[in-house]
mmCIF file of all heavy atoms in Angstrom:
data_model
loop_
_atom_site.group_PDB
_atom_site.id
_atom_site.type_symbol
_atom_site.label_atom_id
_atom_site.label_comp_id
_atom_site.label_asym_id
_atom_site.label_seq_id
_atom_site.Cartn_x
_atom_site.Cartn_y
_atom_site.Cartn_z
ATOM 1 N N GLY B 269 1.115 19.311 -42.848
ATOM 2 C CA GLY B 269 -0.140 19.943 -42.673
ATOM 3 C C GLY B 269 -0.020 21.153 -41.721
ATOM 4 O O GLY B 269 0.876 21.183 -40.871
ATOM 5 N N LEU B 270 -0.875 22.131 -41.932
ATOM 6 C CA LEU B 270 -0.902 23.319 -41.049
ATOM 7 C C LEU B 270 -2.340 23.546 -40.640
ATOM 8 O O LEU B 270 -3.173 23.856 -41.481
ATOM 9 C CB LEU B 270 -0.325 24.519 -41.793
ATOM 10 C CG LEU B 270 -0.336 25.863 -41.047
ATOM 11 C CD1 LEU B 270 0.417 25.761 -39.672
ATOM 12 C CD2 LEU B 270 0.251 26.986 -41.895
ATOM 13 N N MET B 271 -2.633 23.446 -39.348
ATOM 14 C CA MET B 271 -3.976 23.691 -38.834
ATOM 15 C C MET B 271 -3.980 24.985 -38.084
ATOM 16 O O MET B 271 -3.315 25.172 -37.061
ATOM 17 C CB MET B 271 -4.334 22.477 -37.901
ATOM 18 C CG MET B 271 -5.765 22.546 -37.405
ATOM 19 S SD MET B 271 -6.303 20.978 -36.636
ATOM 20 C CE MET B 271 -5.450 21.062 -35.061
ATOM 21 N N ASP B 272 -4.732 25.946 -38.607
ATOM 22 C CA ASP B 272 -4.839 27.269 -38.047
ATOM 23 C C ASP B 272 -5.945 27.327 -37.019
ATOM 24 O O ASP B 272 -7.108 27.383 -37.344
ATOM 25 C CB ASP B 272 -5.136 28.264 -39.192
ATOM 26 C CG ASP B 272 -5.189 29.757 -38.716
ATOM 27 O OD1 ASP B 272 -4.840 29.950 -37.557
ATOM 28 O OD2 ASP B 272 -5.579 30.604 -39.552
ATOM 29 N N CYS B 273 -5.562 27.231 -35.764
ATOM 30 C CA CYS B 273 -6.537 27.244 -34.670
ATOM 31 C C CYS B 273 -6.688 28.646 -34.011
ATOM 32 O O CYS B 273 -7.254 28.768 -32.966
ATOM 33 C CB CYS B 273 -6.111 26.284 -33.600
ATOM 34 S SG CYS B 273 -6.447 24.569 -34.048
ATOM 35 N N ASP B 274 -6.144 29.661 -34.717
ATOM 36 C CA ASP B 274 -6.346 31.025 -34.240
ATOM 37 C C ASP B 274 -7.776 31.470 -34.678
ATOM 38 O O ASP B 274 -7.965 32.114 -35.698
ATOM 39 C CB ASP B 274 -5.297 31.993 -34.805
ATOM 40 C CG ASP B 274 -5.203 33.271 -34.016
ATOM 41 O OD1 ASP B 274 -6.199 33.581 -33.315
ATOM 42 O OD2 ASP B 274 -4.208 33.951 -34.134
ATOM 43 N N ILE B 275 -8.751 31.045 -33.851
ATOM 44 C CA ILE B 275 -10.159 31.190 -34.211
ATOM 45 C C ILE B 275 -10.534 32.633 -34.470
ATOM 46 O O ILE B 275 -11.253 32.966 -35.388
ATOM 47 C CB ILE B 275 -11.042 30.564 -33.155
ATOM 48 C CG1 ILE B 275 -10.636 29.091 -32.855
ATOM 49 C CG2 ILE B 275 -12.505 30.666 -33.496
ATOM 50 C CD1 ILE B 275 -10.809 28.182 -34.042
ATOM 51 N N TYR B 276 -10.081 33.552 -33.578
ATOM 52 C CA TYR B 276 -10.510 34.910 -33.675
ATOM 53 C C TYR B 276 -9.810 35.708 -34.710
ATOM 54 O O TYR B 276 -10.360 36.676 -35.257
ATOM 55 C CB TYR B 276 -10.322 35.586 -32.283
ATOM 56 C CG TYR B 276 -11.120 34.998 -31.173
ATOM 57 C CD1 TYR B 276 -10.516 34.356 -30.104
ATOM 58 C CD2 TYR B 276 -12.501 35.021 -31.221
ATOM 59 C CE1 TYR B 276 -11.264 33.788 -29.098
ATOM 60 C CE2 TYR B 276 -13.290 34.452 -30.222
ATOM 61 C CZ TYR B 276 -12.645 33.796 -29.156
ATOM 62 O OH TYR B 276 -13.385 33.247 -28.144
ATOM 63 N N GLY B 277 -8.546 35.381 -35.007
ATOM 64 C CA GLY B 277 -7.848 36.178 -36.010
ATOM 65 C C GLY B 277 -7.049 35.327 -37.008
ATOM 66 O O GLY B 277 -5.825 35.315 -37.008
ATOM 67 N N PRO B 278 -7.705 34.516 -37.792
ATOM 68 C CA PRO B 278 -7.043 33.576 -38.723
ATOM 69 C C PRO B 278 -6.325 34.331 -39.850
ATOM 70 O O PRO B 278 -6.991 34.983 -40.667
ATOM 71 C CB PRO B 278 -8.118 32.659 -39.245
ATOM 72 C CG PRO B 278 -9.404 33.518 -39.112
ATOM 73 C CD PRO B 278 -9.219 34.344 -37.934
ATOM 74 N N SER B 279 -4.997 34.255 -39.862
ATOM 75 C CA SER B 279 -4.237 34.996 -40.940
ATOM 76 C C SER B 279 -3.504 34.015 -41.793
ATOM 77 O O SER B 279 -2.887 34.447 -42.787
ATOM 78 C CB SER B 279 -3.221 35.925 -40.235
ATOM 79 O OG SER B 279 -2.421 35.226 -39.321
ATOM 80 N N VAL B 280 -3.558 32.742 -41.531
ATOM 81 C CA VAL B 280 -2.805 31.746 -42.355
ATOM 82 C C VAL B 280 -3.288 31.755 -43.806
ATOM 83 O O VAL B 280 -2.484 31.657 -44.719
ATOM 84 C CB VAL B 280 -2.928 30.340 -41.709
ATOM 85 C CG1 VAL B 280 -2.475 29.271 -42.660
ATOM 86 C CG2 VAL B 280 -2.080 30.292 -40.451
ATOM 87 N N PRO B 281 -4.620 31.793 -44.080
ATOM 88 C CA PRO B 281 -5.001 31.827 -45.489
ATOM 89 C C PRO B 281 -4.401 32.919 -46.324
ATOM 90 O O PRO B 281 -3.903 32.721 -47.465
ATOM 91 C CB PRO B 281 -6.554 31.989 -45.449
ATOM 92 C CG PRO B 281 -6.914 31.393 -44.123
ATOM 93 C CD PRO B 281 -5.818 31.745 -43.209
ATOM 94 N N LEU B 282 -4.285 34.153 -45.783
ATOM 95 C CA LEU B 282 -3.671 35.214 -46.461
ATOM 96 C C LEU B 282 -2.175 34.917 -46.708
ATOM 97 O O LEU B 282 -1.671 35.087 -47.786
ATOM 98 C CB LEU B 282 -3.790 36.537 -45.604
ATOM 99 C CG LEU B 282 -2.965 37.740 -46.103
ATOM 100 C CD1 LEU B 282 -3.449 38.237 -47.457
ATOM 101 C CD2 LEU B 282 -2.967 38.837 -45.066
ATOM 102 N N MET B 283 -1.470 34.460 -45.730
ATOM 103 C CA MET B 283 -0.058 34.268 -45.780
ATOM 104 C C MET B 283 0.294 33.118 -46.712
ATOM 105 O O MET B 283 1.385 33.100 -47.302
ATOM 106 C CB MET B 283 0.537 33.980 -44.395
ATOM 107 C CG MET B 283 0.442 35.195 -43.438
ATOM 108 S SD MET B 283 1.180 34.776 -41.844
ATOM 109 C CE MET B 283 0.809 36.322 -40.974
ATOM 110 N N MET B 284 -0.622 32.154 -46.844
ATOM 111 C CA MET B 284 -0.417 31.027 -47.737
ATOM 112 C C MET B 284 -0.928 31.259 -49.161
ATOM 113 O O MET B 284 -0.799 30.394 -50.029
ATOM 114 C CB MET B 284 -1.027 29.759 -47.144
ATOM 115 C CG MET B 284 -0.345 29.234 -45.900
ATOM 116 S SD MET B 284 1.359 28.596 -46.201
ATOM 117 C CE MET B 284 1.001 27.088 -47.138
ATOM 118 N N GLY B 285 -1.599 32.401 -49.348
ATOM 119 C CA GLY B 285 -2.170 32.705 -50.707
ATOM 120 C C GLY B 285 -3.338 31.834 -51.076
ATOM 121 O O GLY B 285 -3.556 31.478 -52.164
ATOM 122 N N LEU B 286 -4.177 31.539 -50.034
ATOM 123 C CA LEU B 286 -5.356 30.651 -50.250
ATOM 124 C C LEU B 286 -6.591 31.454 -50.004
ATOM 125 O O LEU B 286 -6.689 32.276 -49.085
ATOM 126 C CB LEU B 286 -5.265 29.416 -49.311
ATOM 127 C CG LEU B 286 -4.215 28.405 -49.597
ATOM 128 C CD1 LEU B 286 -4.119 27.437 -48.479
ATOM 129 C CD2 LEU B 286 -4.557 27.649 -50.901
ATOM 130 N N ASP B 287 -7.682 31.093 -50.781
ATOM 131 C CA ASP B 287 -8.984 31.643 -50.482
ATOM 132 C C ASP B 287 -9.980 30.611 -50.981
ATOM 133 O O ASP B 287 -9.622 29.587 -51.523
ATOM 134 C CB ASP B 287 -9.230 33.021 -51.121
ATOM 135 C CG ASP B 287 -8.980 33.002 -52.618
ATOM 136 O OD1 ASP B 287 -9.067 31.938 -53.253
ATOM 137 O OD2 ASP B 287 -8.789 34.080 -53.200
ATOM 138 N N GLY B 288 -11.254 30.890 -50.829
ATOM 139 C CA GLY B 288 -12.321 29.945 -51.177
ATOM 140 C C GLY B 288 -12.734 29.102 -50.073
ATOM 141 O O GLY B 288 -12.384 29.402 -48.844
ATOM 142 N N ARG B 289 -13.456 27.968 -50.364
ATOM 143 C CA ARG B 289 -13.995 27.109 -49.355
ATOM 144 C C ARG B 289 -13.450 25.682 -49.525
ATOM 145 O O ARG B 289 -13.317 25.249 -50.682
ATOM 146 C CB ARG B 289 -15.539 27.069 -49.397
ATOM 147 C CG ARG B 289 -16.197 28.450 -49.353
ATOM 148 C CD ARG B 289 -16.026 29.098 -47.964
ATOM 149 N NE ARG B 289 -16.795 30.367 -47.907
ATOM 150 C CZ ARG B 289 -16.727 31.193 -46.852
ATOM 151 N NH1 ARG B 289 -16.002 30.915 -45.831
ATOM 152 N NH2 ARG B 289 -17.436 32.322 -46.871
ATOM 153 N N PRO B 290 -13.231 24.989 -48.437
ATOM 154 C CA PRO B 290 -12.815 23.576 -48.608
ATOM 155 C C PRO B 290 -13.962 22.723 -49.128
ATOM 156 O O PRO B 290 -15.114 22.979 -48.817
ATOM 157 C CB PRO B 290 -12.378 23.146 -47.179
ATOM 158 C CG PRO B 290 -13.146 24.087 -46.303
ATOM 159 C CD PRO B 290 -13.280 25.393 -47.046
ATOM 160 N N GLU B 291 -13.617 21.657 -49.844
ATOM 161 C CA GLU B 291 -14.638 20.728 -50.330
ATOM 162 C C GLU B 291 -14.995 19.766 -49.195
ATOM 163 O O GLU B 291 -14.299 19.607 -48.187
ATOM 164 C CB GLU B 291 -14.104 19.952 -51.495
ATOM 165 C CG GLU B 291 -13.853 20.784 -52.733
ATOM 166 C CD GLU B 291 -13.365 19.941 -53.886
ATOM 167 O OE1 GLU B 291 -13.169 18.708 -53.739
ATOM 168 O OE2 GLU B 291 -13.165 20.521 -54.980
ATOM 169 N N ILE B 292 -16.140 19.053 -49.382
ATOM 170 C CA ILE B 292 -16.624 18.151 -48.412
ATOM 171 C C ILE B 292 -16.745 16.759 -49.038
ATOM 172 O O ILE B 292 -17.159 16.631 -50.163
ATOM 173 C CB ILE B 292 -18.057 18.475 -47.883
ATOM 174 C CG1 ILE B 292 -18.062 19.919 -47.365
ATOM 175 C CG2 ILE B 292 -18.523 17.484 -46.815
ATOM 176 C CD1 ILE B 292 -19.478 20.417 -47.097
ATOM 177 N N GLU B 293 -16.305 15.737 -48.347
ATOM 178 C CA GLU B 293 -16.440 14.347 -48.766
ATOM 179 C C GLU B 293 -17.275 13.632 -47.769
ATOM 180 O O GLU B 293 -17.074 13.768 -46.589
ATOM 181 C CB GLU B 293 -15.075 13.657 -48.953
ATOM 182 C CG GLU B 293 -14.270 14.178 -50.149
ATOM 183 C CD GLU B 293 -13.071 13.287 -50.447
ATOM 184 O OE1 GLU B 293 -12.916 12.252 -49.753
ATOM 185 O OE2 GLU B 293 -12.247 13.626 -51.336
ATOM 186 N N GLY B 294 -18.222 12.832 -48.236
ATOM 187 C CA GLY B 294 -19.097 12.119 -47.365
ATOM 188 C C GLY B 294 -20.287 12.929 -46.942
ATOM 189 O O GLY B 294 -20.545 14.024 -47.494
ATOM 190 N N GLU B 295 -21.058 12.466 -45.981
ATOM 191 C CA GLU B 295 -22.234 13.202 -45.576
ATOM 192 C C GLU B 295 -22.553 12.828 -44.105
ATOM 193 O O GLU B 295 -22.065 11.851 -43.561
ATOM 194 C CB GLU B 295 -23.469 12.836 -46.440
ATOM 195 C CG GLU B 295 -23.895 11.399 -46.415
ATOM 196 C CD GLU B 295 -22.913 10.497 -47.199
ATOM 197 O OE1 GLU B 295 -22.427 10.963 -48.255
ATOM 198 O OE2 GLU B 295 -22.647 9.400 -46.724
ATOM 199 N N GLY B 296 -23.378 13.677 -43.517
ATOM 200 C CA GLY B 296 -23.809 13.419 -42.143
ATOM 201 C C GLY B 296 -22.663 13.351 -41.167
ATOM 202 O O GLY B 296 -21.695 14.122 -41.263
ATOM 203 N N ALA B 297 -22.720 12.384 -40.258
ATOM 204 C CA ALA B 297 -21.647 12.238 -39.290
ATOM 205 C C ALA B 297 -20.331 11.816 -39.890
ATOM 206 O O ALA B 297 -19.273 11.926 -39.266
ATOM 207 C CB ALA B 297 -22.101 11.189 -38.241
ATOM 208 N N ASP B 298 -20.371 11.255 -41.104
ATOM 209 C CA ASP B 298 -19.142 10.787 -41.775
ATOM 210 C C ASP B 298 -18.523 11.822 -42.665
ATOM 211 O O ASP B 298 -17.507 11.529 -43.371
ATOM 212 C CB ASP B 298 -19.430 9.521 -42.571
ATOM 213 C CG ASP B 298 -19.847 8.368 -41.715
ATOM 214 O OD1 ASP B 298 -19.260 8.257 -40.565
ATOM 215 O OD2 ASP B 298 -20.723 7.558 -42.080
ATOM 216 N N ALA B 299 -19.137 13.056 -42.779
ATOM 217 C CA ALA B 299 -18.623 14.046 -43.651
ATOM 218 C C ALA B 299 -17.240 14.539 -43.257
ATOM 219 O O ALA B 299 -16.960 14.661 -42.034
ATOM 220 C CB ALA B 299 -19.584 15.192 -43.739
ATOM 221 N N MET B 300 -16.327 14.754 -44.196
ATOM 222 C CA MET B 300 -14.957 15.200 -43.912
ATOM 223 C C MET B 300 -14.642 16.414 -44.773
ATOM 224 O O MET B 300 -15.040 16.504 -45.961
ATOM 225 C CB MET B 300 -13.974 14.095 -44.249
ATOM 226 C CG MET B 300 -14.206 12.772 -43.480
ATOM 227 S SD MET B 300 -13.687 12.940 -41.743
ATOM 228 C CE MET B 300 -11.898 12.904 -41.917
ATOM 229 N N LEU B 301 -14.030 17.436 -44.180
ATOM 230 C CA LEU B 301 -13.569 18.555 -44.860
ATOM 231 C C LEU B 301 -12.188 18.210 -45.529
ATOM 232 O O LEU B 301 -11.343 17.583 -44.880
ATOM 233 C CB LEU B 301 -13.346 19.763 -43.921
ATOM 234 C CG LEU B 301 -14.674 20.393 -43.406
ATOM 235 C CD1 LEU B 301 -14.334 21.396 -42.301
ATOM 236 C CD2 LEU B 301 -15.445 21.103 -44.514
ATOM 237 N N VAL B 302 -12.002 18.591 -46.781
ATOM 238 C CA VAL B 302 -10.734 18.330 -47.453
ATOM 239 C C VAL B 302 -9.883 19.627 -47.351
ATOM 240 O O VAL B 302 -10.316 20.691 -47.864
ATOM 241 C CB VAL B 302 -10.991 18.005 -48.943
ATOM 242 C CG1 VAL B 302 -9.648 17.761 -49.609
ATOM 243 C CG2 VAL B 302 -11.892 16.813 -49.014
ATOM 244 N N PRO B 303 -8.708 19.553 -46.704
ATOM 245 C CA PRO B 303 -7.895 20.746 -46.579
ATOM 246 C C PRO B 303 -7.402 21.285 -47.949
ATOM 247 O O PRO B 303 -7.258 20.528 -48.900
ATOM 248 C CB PRO B 303 -6.709 20.190 -45.767
ATOM 249 C CG PRO B 303 -6.642 18.764 -46.000
ATOM 250 C CD PRO B 303 -8.101 18.301 -46.163
ATOM 251 N N MET B 304 -7.246 22.584 -47.974
ATOM 252 C CA MET B 304 -6.699 23.161 -49.185
ATOM 253 C C MET B 304 -5.185 23.050 -49.147
ATOM 254 O O MET B 304 -4.589 22.863 -48.082
ATOM 255 C CB MET B 304 -7.145 24.653 -49.264
ATOM 256 C CG MET B 304 -8.644 24.804 -49.201
ATOM 257 S SD MET B 304 -9.240 26.538 -49.312
ATOM 258 C CE MET B 304 -9.077 26.761 -51.099
#
């Protein structure tokens, strides 16, 4: 896994060839983001 914590200048999506939005599983306090 690769967690991009460069909040102000995230460049990992470009370098990995990824775009779009992550999906969500669950709801409310149990909701989880699914990594791309």
Side-chain angles (χ1 to χ4, degrees):
L270 177 57
M271 186 166 76
D272 182 9
C273 283
D274 198 340
I275 305 298
Y276 297 116
S279 55
V280 167
L282 170 67
M283 295 180 183
M284 290 293 290
L286 289 168
D287 55 21
R289 307 291 185 185
E291 295 183 357
I292 307 171
E293 288 190 5
E295 62 286 324
D298 296 323
M300 302 285 285
L301 291 170
V302 180
M304 305 181 79

